[in-house]
Amino acid sequence: MDSFAKAPRRPAPCSGQVMSVLPDLHLHYVQACQNLSQPENPFIARVLQEADKNDEISTKGITLKLAGNNHLVPVPRVTDDDLGVLTSVLGQAAFVTGLDLAYNLLTDAGAKIMATFLQSNQSLMHLRMTGNKIGNQGGMFFASMLKNNSALEKLDLGDCDVGPQCLTATAIALTQNKSLKAINLNRPLLSSQQEETTVHMARMLRSNSSLVELHLGKHEMKNFGVEQLCEALYENSSLRYLDLSCNNIISDGVEFLGELLRRNRSLEILDLGANRIEDVGAICLSQALATRNRTLQALSVVSNNITGQGLVALAQAMHSNMALSHIYIWGNKIDRSTCVAFSELMAVGRLELGCTDVAPYEVDGEVLLAEQSHGLAKHRYWTPRCAAVAPGAANASLQIVPVSEYL
């Protein structure tokens, strides 16, 4: 486009798609709004202006953070029409490798715009669409895109309104896609077909060798679904992070997970938060971790109706399993024995204070545990309210393990 040729020129990045010039994002945005007769969104304009000031723009890829749930500075949220203009700008900016559009006003129409853009785009690697009103139709656009796109590495569709048809289509697409490393499909809108979608996810895991991180929280998953996933993961050696939080998993389902931990040699993070595994499930996990598993590094069992018996068993497993470094237990029935067991783990240096969600303190000679704001999902659904945080401040995603380089 002629309007782009008038932009100031800067050196091109030495990576991926090589461009002869780096365009001025804000200038191009203003021009695109004029060309498309679309009013400027001041939030987008400000973010693009800040991106233009980034000194590393010529050597490293940048992420445009356009999340609409910023508690520090209320912003005019991004709409489908805004996205149409933004993608026209991004088509000229191969150095933009990440885009965070969480909690905006995007619908199926916006999903179509984004998915169509990604059909041919080979520079965007990370896309976060969390918390938008994207339904089953919009999700199908992304599923179709995954069959053709070979650049995207991380896709977040959590807390959208995608349905069973989208989940099935996504699972099928991931049997062909060889580039995606992480996908968040938390909290879809499900009907009686939810177990069928889990079967498709399990089939995908048998053949997919690129996926590192999979979020299936709030899928109404029961023991049958867990069994299907575990059987598939016996044959999978790539998945590192499995999120099964907020499902309907009870102790019977944990038996399958216990056997998985005995046989699988790749899983490093397991999130079982907000299920109902109780003491029987906790003891089953502790036995697998104490005797056979030496690869799991992080385990979350928050809010699982576990009493001191099960929590102490997990603490004891950490004494014999030196690989497990992060454990999250808050929201269970923490008693005196639990307080003593976990305070001892921290006293001997076996468990670091920043690697758990409890901290010991003493009252009248009795050890108690207080809650800490740490956890696998600390920053998954919201942005900081008071100040910026370092990327590793939360033990979220794969930041606690070596494969963080992928994400």
Side-chain angles (χ1 to χ4, degrees):
M1 295 176 60
D2 292 339
S3 58
F4 286 100
K6 300 175 183 177
R9 294 172 178 261
R10 289 179 285 182
C14 300
S15 63
Q17 272 187 315
V18 178
M19 298 177 60
S20 58
V21 296
L22 283 178
D24 184 317
L25 289 173
H26 179 247
L27 174 61
H28 290 173
Y29 176 67
V30 172
Q31 294 171 337
C33 286
Q34 294 173 351
N35 294 340
L36 298 172
S37 300
Q38 171 69 21
E40 294 179 32
N41 182 315
F43 176 38
I44 296 177
R46 186 176 74 247
V47 170
L48 296 183
Q49 285 177 319
E50 291 300 316
D52 287 331
K53 299 175 184 178
N54 192 325
D55 293 334
E56 296 182 336
I57 199 171
S58 63
T59 57
K60 298 181 180 180
I62 64 170
T63 295
L64 297 180
K65 297 182 179 181
L66 292 164
N69 63 332
N70 192 321
H71 299 292
L72 301 179
V73 182
V75 296
R77 298 189 178 189
V78 179
T79 66
D80 294 336
D81 290 337
D82 290 328
L83 192 56
V85 179
L86 184 60
T87 53
S88 71
V89 175
L90 295 181
Q92 305 293 322
F95 53 86
V96 176
T97 57
L99 183 60
D100 185 350
L101 292 167
Y103 296 99
N104 280 294
L105 302 176
L106 303 177
T107 67
D108 287 348
K112 183 177 182 179
I113 292 170
M114 198 69 229
T116 301
F117 169 71
L118 289 172
Q119 288 280 1
S120 57
N121 178 270
Q122 292 298 311
S123 56
L124 198 69
M125 295 189 294
H126 303 163
L127 176 62
R128 188 168 183 245
M129 303 291 288
T130 313
N132 284 287
K133 288 296 181 181
I134 298 173
N136 202 64
Q137 183 182 30
M140 291 294 288
F141 291 130
F142 283 112
S144 178
M145 173 273 297
L146 288 173
K147 296 179 180 179
N148 301 313
N149 182 284
S150 60
L152 196 66
E153 295 184 358
K154 188 171 184 178
L155 175 62
D156 191 341
L157 294 176
D159 280 359
C160 293
D161 294 333
V162 300
Q165 185 182 9
C166 167
L167 296 177
T168 300
T170 300
I172 294 172
L174 289 177
T175 62
Q176 306 172 33
N177 184 287
K178 305 301 180 185
S179 61
L180 200 72
K181 293 181 172 63
I183 188 165
N184 181 359
L185 296 170
N186 284 351
R187 207 228 61 164
L189 293 183
L190 294 175
S191 61
S192 59
Q193 304 176 48
Q194 63 261 22
E195 297 287 35
E196 180 183 341
T197 61
T198 305
V199 171
H200 284 285
M201 287 293 166
R203 289 175 181 169
M204 176 272 294
L205 288 172
R206 292 179 189 273
S207 60
N208 183 290
S209 60
S210 60
L211 202 64
V212 176
E213 179 174 344
L214 176 61
H215 295 269
L216 297 176
K218 299 183 181 179
H219 274 238
E220 300 181 26
M221 192 182 304
K222 300 179 178 64
N223 298 338
F224 173 76
V226 176
E227 181 182 13
Q228 296 296 307
L229 290 175
C230 289
E231 289 183 356
L233 288 172
Y234 295 150
E235 306 173 27
N236 182 293
S237 60
S238 63
L239 197 72
R240 301 290 187 268
Y241 186 169
L242 178 60
D243 174 11
L244 300 179
S245 61
C246 304
N247 280 294
N248 297 321
I249 302 170
I250 61 175
S251 58
D252 290 345
V254 180
E255 292 183 10
F256 301 115
L257 289 167
E259 183 60 25
L260 174 66
L261 291 177
R262 291 181 176 91
R263 297 169 58 177
N264 181 279
R265 295 293 179 268
S266 59
L267 197 64
E268 297 176 355
I269 304 177
L270 177 60
D271 190 347
L272 294 175
N275 283 284
R276 198 174 179 86
I277 71 171
E278 302 184 319
D279 287 339
V280 174
I283 292 171
C284 178
L285 291 175
S286 67
Q287 291 172 344
L289 291 169
T291 58
R292 299 286 293 276
N293 184 280
R294 293 296 181 269
T295 54
L296 197 74
Q297 298 182 28
L299 173 66
S300 174
V301 291
V302 301
S303 302
N304 265 276
N305 200 39
I306 306 171
T307 71
Q309 182 183 6
L311 295 172
V312 170
L314 288 170
Q316 291 173 342
M318 293 194 72
H319 284 293
S320 57
N321 183 331
M322 304 307 293
L324 187 64
S325 58
H326 295 67
I327 188 166
Y328 305 96
I329 65 168
W330 192 258
N332 292 294
K333 298 178 179 179
I334 296 175
D335 61 6
R336 184 173 183 180
S337 63
T338 305
C339 296
V340 172
F342 277 84
S343 63
E344 287 180 352
L345 281 175
M346 286 179 262
V348 300
R350 177 61 191 88
L351 180 61
E352 298 293 334
L353 198 58
C355 299
T356 184
D357 56 353
V358 293
Y361 67 100
E362 191 171 314
V363 176
D364 296 332
E366 182 176 351
V367 176
L368 301 173
L369 294 178
E371 181 185 12
Q372 290 196 99
S373 297
H374 293 151
L376 290 176
K378 180 179 177 183
H379 294 307
R380 189 181 300 160
Y381 299 116
W382 52 273
T383 54
R385 290 179 179 272
C386 54
V389 295
N395 301 318
S397 190
L398 292 175
Q399 293 170 346
I400 65 174
V401 293
V403 287
S404 60
E405 63 191 47
Y406 297 143
L407 306 176

